[in-house]
Amino acid sequence: MKFTNEDILMIALRQSAIDSACAPEDFLGNKNKIFLSRPSPDARRYLTLPYECDLTSYGNCVVASVSERCYAPAEAYIKRFSAVDCFETPGLHILSSALRSMGLDVCFMAHYCLPDVGIIRPLDCLYETRILTRNDFGGLYLPEWSNALCAKRPQLDMLGVGAYDGERLIGFAAASADCDTMWQIGIDVLPEYRRRGIASALTSRLACEILDRGYVPFYCHAWSNLASSRNAIKSGFRPAWVTVTAKSIEYIDEINGKDAN
């Protein structure tokens, strides 16, 4: 299937609308909007829905998807700040303060990228690359490949591209079928092989393989992960949307390895 960039954006907007319990066009207006979150069998499969408080922006406005108890403070927040300021400190301190009174706080801040079909192509690799399928993944659920594969949801891992130095796997990009139309790419390269263009070679080839199979690849990274951001851009991806998601303080403490008691 041949995609245009407009096709890809619309597919992403439709998926975000499912995830945020709104309509695709709600992300394209100039007015921030708020909706009550609800679960959906068509949502991205790693999401925990309904949300307590999630903010999503494709650049024009903010769509807040929230629980009933978070509705009032989230509505006040998105009415007070612009789309850009909603995702930046010092504004986020206001949201954090309101959420903490309910046992919640800002947890995840993510940046999502979509492929630019006008430039994306498989990049050359200094090492041999091989296409890997689900049948090849069994022995690869290891810490060094934890960004490429997810041991908690192995049934979603569909396709991969590996880089080999002889018979040693030195880099690995894999895709998970996180929803019916979009597959997410994760990438790992062994430390001693980094800065050799392996990540972008694997990411770009896997993205093209996904597109050829009729799915839209997407790439997510933390805002502060500059290496991952550079890899996305070099591989032919461009920024598409951002999110801020709140979780319980207990959950945050668990991630941080802190005893909440």
Side-chain angles (χ1 to χ4, degrees):
M1 178 179 180
K2 295 295 184 180
F3 292 100
T4 66
N5 285 338
E6 291 74 19
D7 294 332
I8 288 172
L9 177 60
M10 184 51 63
I11 288 170
L13 286 168
R14 288 176 185 143
Q15 187 58 51
S16 290
I18 292 169
D19 300 339
S20 296
C22 65
E25 56 267 25
D26 290 320
F27 296 101
L28 302 178
N30 294 317
K31 182 180 179 181
N32 295 344
K33 296 183 178 181
I34 188 167
F35 300 88
L36 286 174
S37 179
R38 61 175 183 266
S40 170
D42 298 320
R44 279 177 288 157
R45 292 168 184 123
Y46 60 88
L47 298 180
T48 302
L49 297 178
Y51 289 123
E52 285 283 6
C53 181
D54 178 86
L55 308 181
T56 299
S57 178
Y58 277 75
N60 295 322
C61 65
V62 175
V63 168
S65 185
V66 302
S67 63
E68 289 189 4
R69 66 172 177 157
C70 289
Y71 194 99
E75 183 179 40
Y77 182 70
I78 65 172
K79 283 184 175 180
R80 177 173 177 178
F81 294 104
S82 69
V84 172
D85 292 337
C86 277
F87 290 85
E88 290 285 346
T89 54
L92 277 174
H93 291 305
I94 303 296
L95 180 63
S96 176
S97 178
L99 292 173
R100 287 188 69 85
S101 67
M102 294 179 282
L104 306 167
D105 209 342
V106 171
C107 183
F108 297 120
M109 300 173 66
H111 194 167
Y112 291 85
C113 301
L114 293 171
D116 182 341
V117 297
I119 63 171
I120 197 165
R121 59 178 179 82
L123 299 176
D124 292 336
C125 188
L126 294 173
Y127 299 87
E128 177 192 359
T129 61
R130 305 174 192 170
I131 297 294
L132 303 176
T133 64
R134 298 181 68 181
N135 293 333
D136 302 311
F137 294 165
L140 298 179
Y141 287 92
L142 302 170
E144 56 263 46
W145 313 123
S146 60
N147 288 314
L149 297 175
C150 180
K152 292 181 179 179
R153 294 178 294 275
Q155 73 280 6
L156 300 182
D157 294 326
M158 296 294 170
L159 187 68
V161 180
Y164 291 82
D165 187 355
E167 289 302 309
R168 184 189 185 194
L169 182 64
I170 60 171
F172 184 35
S176 58
D178 289 337
C179 54
D180 292 341
T181 56
M182 303 177 71
W183 288 8
Q184 181 172 191
I185 292 177
I187 175 73
D188 289 290
V189 177
L190 297 181
E192 63 268 34
Y193 287 90
R194 293 173 186 169
R195 296 185 178 274
R196 302 184 192 182
I198 296 171
S200 57
L202 298 180
T203 302
S204 61
R205 183 175 178 190
L206 181 56
C208 291
E209 294 285 342
I210 294 168
L211 289 166
D212 287 345
R213 286 162 172 77
Y215 299 96
V216 171
F218 69 102
Y219 187 105
C220 177
H221 62 84
W223 291 10
S224 58
N225 192 337
L226 296 182
S228 192
S229 178
R230 287 192 291 266
N231 178 54
I233 293 170
K234 185 177 179 181
S235 301
F237 285 78
R238 295 294 179 262
W241 77 97
V242 293
T243 63
V244 164
T245 307
K247 293 286 186 178
S248 71
I249 292 173
E250 290 80 6
Y251 178 88
I252 296 170
D253 286 340
E254 182 179 350
I255 290 176
N256 290 333
K258 176 183 176 182
D259 185 351
N261 296 320

